Amino acid sequence: MEGDGSDSLVTIKNIERELICPACKELFTHPLILPCQHSICHKCVKELLLMLDDSFNDVGSDNSNQSSPRLRFPSPSVDKIDRISRPGWKRNSLTPRTTTFPCPGCEHDVDLGERGINGLFRNFTLETIVERYRQAARAATAIMCDLCKPPPQESTKSCMDCSASYCNECFKIYHPWGTVKAQHEYVGPTTNFRPKILMCPEHETERINMYCELCKRPVCHLCKLGGNHSNHRVTTMSSAYKTLKEKLSKDIDYLIGKESQVKSQISELNLLMKETECNGERAKEEAITHFEKLFEVLEERKSSVLKAIDASKKLRLDKFQTQMEEYQGLLENNGLVGYAQEVLKETDQSCFVQTAKQLHLRIQKATESLKSFRPAAQTSFEDYVVNTSKQTELLGELSFFSSGIDVPEINEEQSKVYNNALINWHHPEKDKADSYVLEYRKINKDEEMLSWNEVEVCGTSKVISDLESNVNYAFRVRAYKGSICSPCSRELILHTPPAPVFSFLFDEKCGYNNEHLLLNLKRDRVESRAGFNLLLAAERIQVGYYTSLDYIIGDVGITKGKHFWAFRVEPYSYMVKVGVASSDKLQEWLHSPRDAVSPRYEQDSGHDSGSEDTCFDSSQPFTLVTIGMKKFFIPKSPTSSNEPENRVLPMPTSIGVFLDYDKGKVGFYDMDHMKCLYERQVDCSHTMYPAFALMGSGGIQLEESITAKYLEYQENM
């Protein structure tokens, strides 16, 4: 028996690789069995779900949350982990649904079902093997008795029913003969206590007694009668145990019988690794040679271009020097003028005439050059600017002769950026890759390119977190198939918003008119419906009145900082007003309703419409712009053209609002190009709220990134 124990000790030490969690890379701790049959630590499942949750929902910021008049979002702490562990946990939804989890073992998404983590079995067999490995690794470390008075004695056995370890004396005391405890199951000293009976995670009072052949997992009789396995083929646990044990034994015997073949293949793999190492180094040397040839060509062209520029520069400077010397000769007592002055001193008429004639012609020519001064050469070297755009593009596409895999293409329409960036790409099915590498980098204002950041991705989309505000980012992706890499895709440039994203929903209580407005259950979409009440007001419209706007606001206010939010206005909308308004102005609008008002007074203008020009510079406690009939209307301004053709723009697909509370400034953006369409001052002396107003048929949809974080909070209240 001692020999067997020694052999098992050696075996245990040799299987460490099988006992490592694929997530934390440490020995398993309370491992759970995923539906794909891979195991992962219980704490790792929670942490990965939490990270996955944050990567999609953490679109807000600390500034955004702190600016709210009431703090709505719990910090991602133990509370959040416990929430994920509860049955029915879901993400960004108001109805129960299943939870998708990326298995770190096979890198595939697995469905955890509506019960989430609570629906997973604990892998007690693996846990026992890990404990045996730990004991083998710490053979010199004794397990102490749990019941001894200090100092405790070394334990000699552990009770599986009591989940405690005992020395001989304590075991006799707590398990006396003739009592029920004397019948308890005991083993050698251990810290791994597992239940004697495996219970069903879905029906916690039922023991496992069957095996589902379709799902490859143990089930109880209630699972078969009316649960998720009612239509599945099941077998008895004893039959499944016998079948699987026979298969496993045969497989092990087969592998042991092929030991010489395995050793031979290991030797072959070692040779292949060495060959790969040599071939890789040779490929690097060849690549360096090709690049050195390119450097030589560039150096040669550089030398030739610089020589041509130097030659042209010398020729032009020589011409300028000659011209300058000629003009210096025109100065008094200098050159030509000085010589002419000396000639004038000649008193002999014959000699004077003989010399003066040619001199007079030279002076006339110099005089004409003074009247029409022209430099002898050009100073510009525009003809000597080296055009490297095509060569730069070609060098950017520099790759191997034939990679055997097409270039993936980033889908610009499905790629979005806020505080985080969601990048989607597609790849031909015939060239489906094993994995992708998404690269991104920040582009500075002076177009300086920083180094690329790389993220390995198994699917065709990725969320990049923690991006800076108001910055251009470049994204590109390349595909890997086996050891083959494709060239990089064409770069996609996205501009982040000018401020952190502000999360909110439409407020269903403050001023919401449910007779005119229809708000969905998620409170991220509102529609205006022209109903019976509008027909009742028709006779007032006939005499020069029109019905009032229907207002709805965000349910979170802003008291400091910079914030950004975005939304879509439906193309069929007749008239929609969007912007910001202070709490006191909203009270005036919402608590003093009017069914009809004068057409000379517009509720959102803050003054009589006939005196607009006198109020341009006044800082109002609100700013709203008008959108409708697929147009974006820029308000009148004394600093720009107020012609209709300059004030009416095509309606953007998505519209962003940027509020700088501290500076009292609001701007409206075209989200497709992150371009500011209109900006003005606003009085922020009170709490400011996102404000919206609709008239006639219309609809407003908040962008998903604006509502995601708050929806998650609401469903867990």
Side-chain angles (χ1 to χ4, degrees):
M1 291 298 291
E2 291 181 3
D4 293 342
S6 176
D7 291 342
S8 65
L9 200 93
V10 174
T11 304
I12 286 293
K13 288 185 177 180
N14 290 340
I15 65 171
E16 180 179 358
R17 195 164 65 95
E18 302 295 328
L19 309 181
I20 300 296
C21 173
C24 63
K25 307 301 181 185
E26 296 179 358
L27 290 174
F28 282 106
T29 304
H30 305 310
L32 300 178
I33 304 175
L34 298 175
C36 59
Q37 302 303 306
H38 289 102
S39 294
I40 182 173
C41 296
H42 184 263
K43 63 179 178 61
C44 293
V45 177
K46 287 185 175 182
E47 291 173 358
L48 284 171
L49 282 173
L50 181 61
M51 289 172 58
L52 185 67
D53 179 46
D54 286 340
S55 68
F56 282 94
N57 292 331
D58 192 14
V59 295
S61 66
D62 293 339
N63 291 335
S64 180
N65 293 341
Q66 293 168 1
S67 304
S68 306
R70 50 194 185 279
L71 195 60
R72 292 181 175 271
F73 312 124
S75 60
S77 60
V78 176
D79 295 337
K80 195 168 186 180
I81 296 178
D82 290 341
R83 185 174 72 249
I84 291 172
S85 302
R86 291 201 300 267
W89 176 81
K90 50 211 174 287
R91 190 173 59 240
N92 295 348
S93 174
L94 296 179
T95 56
R97 64 179 177 85
T98 57
T99 302
T100 300
F101 176 79
C103 172
C106 60
E107 298 184 344
H108 286 88
D109 289 341
V110 293
D111 189 356
L112 299 186
E114 292 186 8
R115 288 182 56 82
I117 299 176
N118 290 342
L120 300 177
F121 279 105
R122 190 165 155 187
N123 195 337
F124 289 108
T125 302
L126 176 58
E127 198 168 336
T128 301
I129 297 173
V130 170
E131 178 58 27
R132 280 161 47 197
Y133 174 82
R134 290 183 192 275
Q135 290 182 8
R138 61 169 187 250
T141 305
I143 298 175
M144 309 308 292
C145 177
D146 295 325
L147 281 301
C148 276
K149 293 181 180 180
Q153 300 295 314
E154 184 177 340
S155 64
T156 57
K157 53 178 69 69
S158 296
C159 178
M160 301 304 292
D161 295 274
C162 301
S163 298
S165 297
Y166 301 88
C167 64
N168 285 330
E169 293 301 321
C170 289
F171 187 80
K172 292 176 182 178
I173 294 172
Y174 290 96
H175 296 78
W177 287 103
T179 64
V180 176
K181 286 191 174 183
Q183 307 301 319
H184 284 188
E185 178 186 356
Y186 62 91
V187 296
T190 182
T191 57
N192 179 41
F193 300 99
R194 68 181 192 182
K196 299 174 70 174
I197 301 174
L198 197 60
M199 308 303 288
C200 178
E202 295 188 23
H203 309 96
E204 297 176 0
T205 59
E206 300 295 327
R207 62 181 296 176
I208 294 299
N209 55 8
M210 287 181 285
Y211 183 80
C212 178
E213 295 184 353
L214 179 63
C215 301
K216 307 295 183 185
R217 62 176 290 169
V219 295
C220 71
H221 71 282
L222 290 182
C223 292
K224 174 59 179 173
L225 288 176
N228 296 329
H229 307 270
S230 57
N231 297 321
H232 297 179
R233 182 179 176 182
V234 298
T235 184
T236 62
M237 189 59 67
S238 59
S239 176
Y241 170 80
K242 181 179 179 181
T243 302
L244 290 174
K245 192 161 188 177
E246 287 178 356
K247 288 182 178 179
L248 187 58
S249 298
K250 287 181 180 179
D251 291 341
I252 293 173
D253 291 340
Y254 175 81
L255 290 177
I256 293 174
K258 297 290 183 179
E259 185 172 355
S260 59
Q261 181 179 342
V262 172
K263 290 181 178 178
S264 173
Q265 291 174 350
I266 290 174
S267 300
E268 185 178 350
L269 287 172
N270 282 325
L271 292 175
L272 292 174
M273 288 175 64
K274 292 179 180 178
E275 185 178 349
T276 301
E277 183 74 26
C278 294
N279 290 340
E281 291 300 320
R282 189 181 300 113
K284 283 175 61 177
E285 292 174 1
E286 291 178 356
I288 291 172
T289 302
H290 286 297
F291 278 103
E292 287 177 348
K293 288 181 179 179
L294 284 176
F295 296 153
E296 290 175 3
V297 173
L298 286 173
E299 283 295 331
E300 183 182 346
R301 294 302 302 153
K302 174 184 173 183
S303 176
S304 175
V305 167
L306 294 181
K307 284 181 180 179
I309 293 174
D310 286 337
S312 177
K313 181 179 72 172
K314 184 177 183 304
L315 179 62
R316 297 180 192 196
L317 290 175
D318 289 345
K319 289 183 178 181
F320 280 128
Q321 183 65 34
T322 301
Q323 188 178 23
M324 186 171 64
E325 290 174 356
E326 290 178 355
Y327 274 83
Q328 284 177 343
L330 301 180
L331 298 175
E332 186 177 2
N333 298 324
N334 233 346
L336 182 62
V337 173
Y339 175 65
Q341 288 174 338
E342 292 298 323
V343 171
L344 286 174
K345 295 177 183 178
E346 177 63 52
T347 57
D348 187 288
Q349 294 181 357
S350 299
C351 292
F352 177 80
V353 170
Q354 181 183 13
T355 306
K357 180 62 177 176
Q358 183 183 8
L359 182 61
H360 181 252
L361 292 175
R362 289 179 62 192
I363 290 178
Q364 274 189 327
K365 186 176 179 181
T367 304
E368 289 175 1
S369 68
L370 283 175
K371 293 179 181 179
S372 57
F373 175 74
R374 291 182 63 185
Q378 293 183 351
T379 59
S380 172
F381 278 78
E382 292 179 354
D383 295 338
Y384 288 84
V385 174
V386 180
N387 182 8
T388 60
S389 57
K390 291 183 178 180
Q391 289 77 8
T392 302
E393 184 176 351
L394 288 172
L395 287 173
E397 296 175 356
L398 189 65
S399 184
F400 304 108
F401 281 114
S402 176
S403 64
I405 182 171
D406 288 342
V407 182
E409 289 295 330
I410 295 180
N411 191 323
E412 296 186 21
E413 294 182 358
Q414 296 181 7
S415 298
K416 299 179 180 180
V417 63
Y418 291 95
N419 297 111
N420 302 336
L422 171 62
I423 307 299
N424 280 278
W425 59 90
H426 54 82
H427 204 222
E429 188 66 29
K430 63 183 179 66
D431 287 325
K432 190 172 182 181
D434 299 329
S435 63
Y436 300 88
V437 170
L438 176 64
E439 298 180 345
Y440 66 98
R441 65 181 176 185
K442 185 172 68 172
I443 305 175
N444 291 341
K445 292 183 179 180
D446 55 0
E447 298 299 322
E448 179 187 355
M449 296 288 190
L450 304 179
S451 59
W452 289 97
N453 300 293
E454 294 187 354
V455 181
E456 188 172 354
V457 187
C458 291
T460 55
S461 65
K462 179 65 179 176
V463 174
I464 302 297
S465 305
D466 302 324
L467 300 180
E468 296 181 22
S469 298
N470 200 25
V471 171
N472 278 321
Y473 280 89
F475 299 87
R476 68 185 187 186
V477 64
R478 63 180 187 269
Y480 280 88
K481 191 174 184 180
S483 59
I484 301 175
C485 172
S486 77
C488 288
S489 68
R490 188 175 56 183
E491 291 183 17
L492 172 65
I493 307 296
L494 294 176
H495 192 98
T496 56
V501 169
F502 181 65
S503 298
F504 66 90
L505 296 174
F506 288 121
D507 196 326
E508 60 183 345
K509 297 177 181 178
C510 183
Y512 169 60
N513 186 344
N514 58 7
E515 293 182 354
H516 297 171
L517 300 179
L518 180 63
L519 187 62
N520 69 348
L521 291 175
K522 292 183 179 181
R523 296 198 287 120
D524 65 344
R525 179 181 176 83
V526 64
E527 293 183 2
S528 173
R529 49 188 179 185
F532 187 67
N533 291 323
L534 183 60
L535 296 177
L536 290 176
E539 58 186 35
R540 283 176 289 183
I541 297 176
Q542 192 174 12
V543 293
Y545 289 79
Y546 66 87
T547 57
S548 62
L549 291 162
D550 292 305
Y551 285 89
I552 189 167
I553 65 173
D555 62 350
V556 183
I558 298 171
T559 56
K560 64 178 180 179
K562 298 179 181 180
H563 307 275
F564 185 88
W565 60 92
F567 51 86
R568 298 190 304 273
V569 175
E570 296 297 342
Y572 64 79
S573 300
Y574 173 68
M575 188 175 84
V576 172
K577 288 182 175 289
V578 297
V580 295
S582 66
S583 54
D584 60 334
K585 193 66 181 178
L586 287 169
Q587 288 183 3
E588 176 187 329
W589 289 344
L590 302 176
H591 297 142
S592 301
R594 289 186 293 269
D595 290 332
V597 292
S598 166
R600 294 264 311 156
Y601 188 92
E602 189 174 332
Q603 270 185 291
D604 63 316
S605 67
H607 50 78
D608 186 78
S609 61
S611 59
E612 287 177 347
D613 296 338
T614 64
C615 300
F616 278 128
D617 298 329
S618 61
S619 181
Q620 301 173 156
F622 67 95
T623 293
L624 299 175
V625 297
T626 303
I627 301 166
M629 302 178 69
K630 300 182 181 180
K631 302 295 181 183
F632 182 95
F633 297 87
I634 297 179
K636 289 184 178 181
S637 169
T639 60
S640 60
S641 172
N642 289 314
E643 296 299 324
E645 59 270 17
N646 296 324
R647 293 180 52 222
V648 181
L649 303 176
M651 183 180 75
T653 306
S654 182
I655 300 165
V657 179
F658 166 51
L659 176 65
D660 188 336
Y661 185 95
D662 300 329
K663 292 185 178 180
K665 186 170 62 175
V666 63
F668 299 84
Y669 283 73
D670 177 355
M671 287 294 295
D672 292 336
H673 307 94
M674 202 55 70
K675 175 185 177 183
C676 185
L677 303 176
Y678 175 66
E679 188 177 70
R680 67 156 294 160
Q681 294 296 123
V682 62
D683 180 7
C684 293
S685 55
H686 295 82
T687 302
M688 305 298 290
Y689 287 84
F692 307 84
L694 300 93
M695 178 184 288
S697 296
I700 302 173
Q701 172 70 56
L702 297 180
E703 289 287 7
E704 182 181 355
S705 296
I706 308 302
T707 62
K709 192 169 187 177
Y710 188 29
L711 283 176
E712 177 214 346
Y713 168 78
Q714 279 238 317
E715 69 187 37
N716 288 285
M717 284 294 292

